[in-house]
Amino acid sequence: MIALSDIEDARRRIAGIVRETPVDQSESLSARAGVPVFLKHEQRQITGAFKLRGAANAVERLSADERARGVAAASTGNHGRALAYAARRAGARAVIAMSCLVPMNKVKAISALGAEARIVGRSQDDAQGEVDRMVAEDGVVSVPPFDHPDVIAGQGTIGLEILEQVPEVQTVLVPLSGGGLIAGIACAIKARQPGVRIVGISMERGAAMAASLDAGRPVEVQELPTFADSLGGGVGLSNRYTFSIVQALVDEVLLITEAEIAAGIRHAYCEEREVVEGAGAVGIAALLAGRIRTAGPVLSLISGRNIDMDLHRRVVAGADGLEDAA
Ligand SMILES: *Cc1c(COP(=O)(O)O)cnc(C)c1O
């Protein structure tokens, strides 16, 4: 578990670096669900996704010596972007390794932030191998996307904000991949208000955490193309933190289809007037699909907005799967 005090410390540490993101009530989603539905707009975080919180907390905790050697990560995009931003702000070198499946808009964004983008292999595991090599041979410090206490504590600052912004909340919907986001939020919220339900949402196509929970231990699943590309990648067979926190604190995990994610992206744009990436839209998607049954106020976290804009246009025009978006 991550202690509430670690999350409170993280909040103070990153206060001047990250934004406290706004919460709005969604009239249309509230009307459909029959309960108040709130959206927390983490897509408006600097770098376009919540991952800056965890990356900034990890970078700010480095010693002067570690800063000089630099940081590295294997990333499907948003973590790499966040780490690049946090490192540049701290005056540290950053190398970001990623697989060739990562969309070009994300690769370009990382280079533009002053980090070195290194494209290796076809999977998250191949990219991680390159990071392990840099750690062993060059003394670089690895800042992983989710399975690290400082990263989890940084993401947990969202949980503190949620309880202040919507104290009456009863259910919180959180996009789920490696589990750093939901683990941090769950540690914060369950410590303060244990009765709040925490629901993780992943896509059907390659939901590694859901498969691992079913198996009772971290397992690998095949990585497949999905609208929710930021939810791709495994939980790591030697997962140390997020798997057991999710197992202990998350009340339910839902899996949703590509067509449901597409509907979530369209709703975010057409009704809420927000550009949201697939991973960020899964909570809205679950609400629209009638998958969330609850008597009390719901908050759905929108986690990011870094979608290729050509793909976004095709989804808004009606594409329901990556095939008809091609
Ligand atoms: C990384 C990411 C997630 C999932 O976070 P985990 O900590 O891996 O569960 C969700 N949405 C977006 C936009 C992301 O970048």
Side-chain angles (χ1 to χ4, degrees):
M1 294 302 128
I2 306 298
L4 184 57
S5 58
D6 291 337
I7 301 172
E8 288 165 339
D9 289 347
R11 192 180 192 184
R12 279 187 286 276
R13 198 174 290 124
I14 66 177
I17 304 171
V18 309
R19 255 176 220 153
E20 175 165 333
T21 51
V23 169
D24 289 323
Q25 183 166 349
S26 163
E27 297 308 332
S28 63
L29 289 173
S30 301
R32 270 172 186 267
V35 293
V37 174
F38 298 88
L39 299 173
K40 182 162 172 68
H41 296 287
E42 201 60 21
Q43 82 280 14
R44 296 196 218 149
Q45 187 53 265
I46 299 165
T47 71
F50 73 90
K51 282 203 175 66
L52 184 59
R53 295 173 185 259
N57 191 42
V59 167
E60 291 305 303
R61 277 176 54 85
L62 294 175
S63 68
D65 185 47
E66 288 170 325
R67 262 172 229 219
R69 278 180 276 142
V71 290
S75 173
T76 56
N78 284 334
H79 174 62
R81 197 166 169 156
L83 187 61
Y85 180 94
R88 184 164 72 178
R89 202 176 177 286
R93 168 190 179 226
V95 182
I96 308 301
M98 57 195 111
S99 89
C100 66
L101 294 178
V102 172
M104 191 45 69
N105 66 319
K106 294 193 171 183
V107 179
K108 282 191 189 141
I110 281 165
S111 307
L113 287 167
E116 180 189 335
R118 209 171 283 180
I119 315 287
V120 224
R122 289 194 56 79
S123 71
Q124 183 77 4
D125 290 346
D126 293 340
Q128 187 57 48
E130 175 65 8
V131 171
D132 296 343
R133 193 198 59 74
M134 284 187 280
V135 170
E137 292 174 18
D138 312 332
V140 166
V141 178
S142 164
V143 178
F146 55 87
D147 201 29
H148 188 291
D150 296 336
V151 173
I152 298 168
Q155 322 306 26
T157 60
I158 294 170
L160 301 179
E161 290 177 21
I162 288 172
L163 292 182
E164 289 169 8
Q165 292 171 313
V166 189
E168 71 276 26
V169 71
Q170 285 189 16
T171 304
V172 178
L173 311 182
V174 185
L176 169 60
S177 176
L181 175 62
I182 202 168
I185 291 174
C187 286
I189 290 183
K190 294 285 185 180
R192 290 229 168 122
Q193 279 175 229
V196 174
R197 277 178 70 72
I198 310 287
V199 179
I201 306 176
S202 305
M203 68 297 183
E204 280 179 0
R205 289 171 68 86
M209 184 61 85
S212 300
L213 291 169
D214 285 345
R217 66 188 160 83
V219 294
E220 277 175 342
V221 300
Q222 197 194 348
E223 224 175 308
L224 297 166
T226 165
F227 282 132
D229 56 286
S230 290
L231 300 184
V235 304
L237 290 179
S238 47
N239 186 293
R240 291 182 60 193
Y241 304 98
T242 60
F243 174 72
S244 53
I245 296 173
V246 171
Q247 210 178 22
L249 298 184
V250 171
D251 296 283
E252 187 183 355
V253 173
L254 292 176
L255 302 185
I256 60 172
T257 66
E258 294 299 302
E260 287 167 345
I261 298 170
I265 294 171
R266 274 194 292 275
H267 174 95
Y269 189 67
C270 300
E271 301 290 330
E272 315 291 343
R273 313 294 165 121
E274 299 286 340
V275 173
V276 173
E277 61 175 285
V282 296
I284 293 175
L287 284 159
L288 290 174
R291 305 282 301 279
I292 309 297
R293 256 168 249 104
T294 165
V298 178
L299 182 140
S300 181
L301 177 72
I302 302 178
S303 54
R305 66 165 180 220
N306 294 322
I307 184 171
D308 179 274
M309 286 311 288
D310 288 329
L311 176 61
H312 187 267
R313 210 169 296 130
R314 290 192 295 266
V315 171
V316 168
D320 266 339
L322 275 178
E323 313 71 44
D324 30 293

